[in-house]
Every structure is written in structure tokens, then in C-alpha cells.
Amino acid sequence: YSVLVDGVSVRDPLQVHGRTAQNAIVNFPGPSSLIGRVVDVMITRANPNSLTGEMTGYGSERKTVSL
């Protein structure tokens, strides 16, 4: 999935979170420098209120989004 990274996880500072095009929240390990970028994430687990995944690469457009 393509995910727009919008912040650092409150529970784990080594993870970031973002949203898919379907507005689902995804948490995955990554640096805060990813905030504002679109990255590709493979979903590894579905939780009651969010998804967990692993980053597989940068989005095909490699755009930075101003928040």
C-alpha cells in the first residue's frame, strides 16, 4: 500500500504512522525524516483500530507533501 507518513508513534518513538488512500492508519518502523513522504508499506497485521506493516520502499512518485 502507498502510505502518507504523518507522524511519530506515541507508543514507540522508533515507529511512524500514516494513512492509506482508504484512510486506514498504518504503524511501521521508520525514522521521523519520513514525515510528509509517501512510502510503500506491506501490511503484516490487522489490529482493531489500525494496521501494522513494514516499509518496502518509497512511493513511485517520490513526492514530499507539506503538512
Side-chain angles (χ1 to χ4, degrees):
Y1 287 89
S2 289
V3 174
L4 172 60
V5 182
D6 58 8
V8 177
S9 172
V10 175
R11 294 184 181 183
D12 185 351
L14 298 178
Q15 290 198 358
V16 292
H17 59 80
R19 292 185 180 264
T20 67
Q22 294 77 25
N23 210 29
I25 298 171
V26 182
N27 296 292
F28 59 95
S32 61
S33 61
L34 292 175
I35 295 172
R37 297 195 63 113
V38 176
V39 297
D40 296 325
V41 177
M42 178 179 64
I43 303 304
T44 57
R45 185 173 69 215
N47 305 306
N49 298 308
S50 65
L51 302 169
T52 301
E54 296 176 8
M55 188 173 126
T56 58
Y58 290 95
S60 57
E61 297 177 18
R62 303 193 104 216
K63 289 184 180 176
T64 299
V65 178
S66 297
L67 300 176

